[in-house]
Amino acid sequence: GQRPLALGVKEGADYRLDAKTVAGVSAAFDRGTGTVGVAAPVGTTTSGYALAPYIGYQVSDRLALDASLGLGQGNSSIGGGRSDLSRAFVAGNATYSYWRGNWQVSGKAGLLWAHEKSSDIRNNGALIGNTATTAHLGQMRVGADAGYWYGNGIQPYVGISYSADVDRSTQG
């Protein structure tokens, strides 16, 4: 059988607006293939892109805030069926970081809201009505890391995080 394959590429650039503020944009591209079904496997493919401008602000030596808004498009196919996708998300985080010598301890809290809508399926060119779906997700995350800076770009760390869905669709 066919093995699942997923490929993702993320690029971006940012610009320092002043001593405490950075703004930028991130671009992500994805493509995945696989199969569904056991007795008669059918090939699947998903692909898409997202563009996400973001801003970060250093409130103090220890506290930083960031926010991002992303929009994207994609498509999904199963066998001869194809559906177009539109994607959107908004996210915000607060990060606290404390250095003591070469040790760094940090904590992060964030909120994410994501939305994806698919069009009605076209099966070998024929439209199948009432097959459009909408999926959404609201999620909160908290976490903490501790690491030791060795210099020369090396900082091993250990971390723990927790995420919980605060709003999730039952469709899609």
Side-chain angles (χ1 to χ4, degrees):
Q2 186 178 4
R3 303 182 127 235
L5 172 68
L7 174 64
V9 176
K10 185 175 179 181
E11 296 295 329
D14 50 42
Y15 179 76
R16 187 173 176 177
L17 299 175
D18 60 38
K20 293 186 172 194
T21 311
V22 64
V25 65
S26 173
F29 306 90
D30 62 90
R31 180 171 172 79
T33 61
T35 57
V36 295
V38 177
V42 176
T44 66
T45 302
T46 60
S47 63
Y49 70 90
L51 297 174
Y54 58 87
I55 190 163
Y57 181 72
Q58 189 76 36
V59 177
S60 69
D61 289 345
R62 296 184 182 170
L63 180 63
L65 303 174
D66 67 79
S68 180
L69 169 68
L71 300 170
Q73 299 278 318
N75 60 61
S76 175
S77 64
I78 300 175
R82 178 188 161 110
S83 181
D84 294 322
L85 308 169
S86 64
R87 304 167 173 165
F89 76 87
V90 63
N93 299 290
T95 304
Y96 180 86
S97 182
Y98 176 75
W99 285 87
R100 179 131 184 140
N102 285 2
W103 287 95
Q104 180 189 31
V105 177
S106 63
K108 189 176 210 176
L111 292 172
L112 165 75
W113 179 84
H115 177 87
E116 183 173 84
K117 184 173 182 175
S118 72
S119 66
D120 283 331
I121 297 171
R122 290 196 171 275
N123 193 5
N124 295 317
L127 183 69
I128 302 172
N130 299 319
T131 56
T133 62
T134 300
H136 62 271
L137 173 68
Q139 192 174 77
M140 67 165 214
R141 297 178 183 190
V142 294
D145 295 336
Y148 186 83
W149 178 253
Y150 283 102
N152 297 325
I154 298 173
Q155 183 183 27
Y157 68 93
V158 63
I160 187 167
S161 62
Y162 172 78
S163 64
D165 296 346
V166 294
D167 181 27
R168 183 173 63 185
S169 68
T170 57
Q171 186 183 41

